[in-house]
Amino acid sequence: MNALAARFNAIFGADLAGPLAALAAVLIVFGFTSPHFLTAATFGSVAFQLPELGVLTLAMLMPILTGGLNLAITFTANIAGLTLAWTLQANGGIDAGPGAFLLGSALALAVGAASGLVMGLVIAFTRAHPILVSLSMMIFLRGLGEFLTRGGDISGFPTFVAPIGHGSILGIPVPLLILIACVIASHILLSRSKLGFSTYMIGSNIESARYSGINTRKVLVLVYMLSGVMAAVAGIIMLARFNSVRVGHGESYLLITVLACFLGGINPFGGFGRVLPVFVALVVLQLLSSGLNLLGANQHLTTAVWGILLIVVMVLRWLSAKFIRIVK
């Protein structure tokens, strides 16, 4: 048994065991309790619902790895989506062409990067706590969006935008392909680049990273900028999926992104974690939501279950760490 566990850890990593066990448990429990759970319709629904949540989770991942947090990801996504919507509206609305969409997408990504840039600069140079900085940015973006839209939404986009949120290529949903591309890019960035190495170093001990020659300020700024860009990608997907944009879209996603990171083995204090286990954890959470919906539970109960699950994950981590210390 120990040899099998060691072989699994060598191939996949020890942090993947928990998410895979949770995935198996969800499939077994809901497979027995709901006859419609293990069907193509359920998995197809998950494939279309997962991407915007998944990309937002990737936006949350890198700040957490540095020992920080980005509470502004959902409102960054919405402001980026509004930027794209305004650009399309200014260039003909439903009659806008692909050029307007590309311009709007570039501006949306720039807005996301600018949001991250401001947070990164404040965190890096003032050493203010990331929770306070990102909370301030969240409040600012929400207020700005409410002021500019007067609490309403913007809709009416060209027909070629819809496939980004609802289309398929060879049977694979387009938004899922975007998520997979973002997952691969994040994995390569964190595991194969100097920025990824520096991110882990800062999360482990920022003072040691500074003394080892890492420009910690530059790394923090880049991390939060990339987080903002990833949130903007999620905003573009959300615009295409909902065919409208407003400031409050996806507010409940914030809790789930943090939960997915912790369920995926990310150290809440930074310095440790990988992208693949987080992706599996996302699938688990989305399947859990779909299973509860099939059993007749409403979204509010699902949110409550996610909150309890977050507490359970933290308790299990504490018990696991205590057990390991006792064994040693």
Side-chain angles (χ1 to χ4, degrees):
M1 189 69 177
N2 290 336
L4 182 61
R7 184 177 179 83
F8 177 90
N9 292 342
I11 298 174
F12 300 104
D15 54 349
L16 192 57
L20 285 178
L23 176 61
V26 167
L27 290 174
I28 292 171
V29 170
F30 287 110
F32 278 106
T33 56
S34 174
H36 303 292
F37 182 71
L38 296 177
T39 62
T42 298
F43 291 105
S45 175
V46 168
F48 277 104
Q49 294 174 6
L50 182 66
E52 65 258 26
L53 173 59
V55 178
L56 282 172
T57 301
L58 294 176
M60 180 66 78
L61 174 61
M62 287 189 68
I64 291 181
L65 287 175
T66 64
L69 205 65
N70 185 357
L71 298 176
I73 54 173
T74 55
F75 289 102
T76 300
N78 289 326
I79 287 294
L82 285 169
T83 301
L84 172 56
W86 286 324
T87 304
L88 292 173
Q89 291 289 324
N91 288 274
I94 59 174
D95 297 320
F101 177 78
L102 292 176
L103 174 61
S105 297
L107 292 174
L109 296 176
V111 166
S115 169
L117 174 63
V118 172
M119 286 187 289
L121 287 172
V122 174
I123 293 168
F125 285 90
T126 70
R127 298 193 181 183
H129 200 287
I131 290 180
L132 295 176
V133 176
S134 60
L135 179 61
S136 301
M137 180 58 72
M138 180 185 77
I139 295 171
F140 167 72
L141 292 176
R142 179 172 188 170
L144 178 64
E146 293 284 3
F147 170 74
L148 293 175
T149 63
R150 289 171 173 75
D153 57 8
I154 299 177
S155 58
F157 307 122
T159 55
F160 64 80
V161 174
I164 298 175
H166 301 281
S168 298
I169 297 177
L170 300 177
I172 304 175
V174 171
L176 183 61
L177 291 173
I178 296 173
L179 171 60
I180 292 173
C182 291
V183 167
I184 293 173
S186 298
H187 172 74
I188 294 173
L189 177 68
L190 289 172
S191 61
R192 303 294 178 91
S193 72
K194 182 179 178 181
L195 177 60
F197 174 77
S198 300
T199 299
Y200 286 113
M201 286 287 291
I202 289 175
S204 297
N205 191 315
I206 190 170
E207 294 300 327
S208 297
R210 184 179 294 112
Y211 286 127
S212 67
I214 294 175
N215 188 337
T216 55
R217 288 177 172 174
K218 178 180 178 181
V219 172
L220 285 172
V221 171
L222 286 174
V223 163
Y224 280 88
M225 283 184 67
L226 288 173
S227 176
V229 169
M230 199 66 76
V233 173
I236 295 171
I237 296 174
M238 290 163 66
L239 177 148
R241 260 184 46 79
F242 302 139
N243 195 35
S244 67
V245 188
R246 66 179 176 84
V247 178
H249 273 166
E251 283 187 82
S252 62
Y253 287 162
L254 183 62
L255 165 68
I256 313 168
T257 61
V258 176
L259 175 56
C261 287
F262 292 166
L263 185 61
I266 303 299
N267 188 334
F269 301 105
F272 178 80
R274 294 189 303 140
V275 174
L276 182 58
V278 172
F279 177 72
V280 176
L282 278 167
V283 175
V284 171
L285 292 175
Q286 194 61 61
L287 285 172
L288 177 64
S289 176
S290 297
L292 289 172
N293 287 336
L294 287 173
L295 294 178
N298 61 31
Q299 183 60 40
H300 299 296
L301 177 60
T302 302
T303 303
V305 170
W306 280 331
I308 291 296
L309 185 58
L310 178 56
I311 296 174
V312 170
V313 168
M314 289 188 290
V315 172
L316 289 177
R317 280 194 168 192
W318 176 78
L319 291 173
S320 176
K322 190 173 182 179
F323 175 76
I324 292 174
R325 285 197 298 268
I326 293 173
V327 172
K328 289 182 177 180

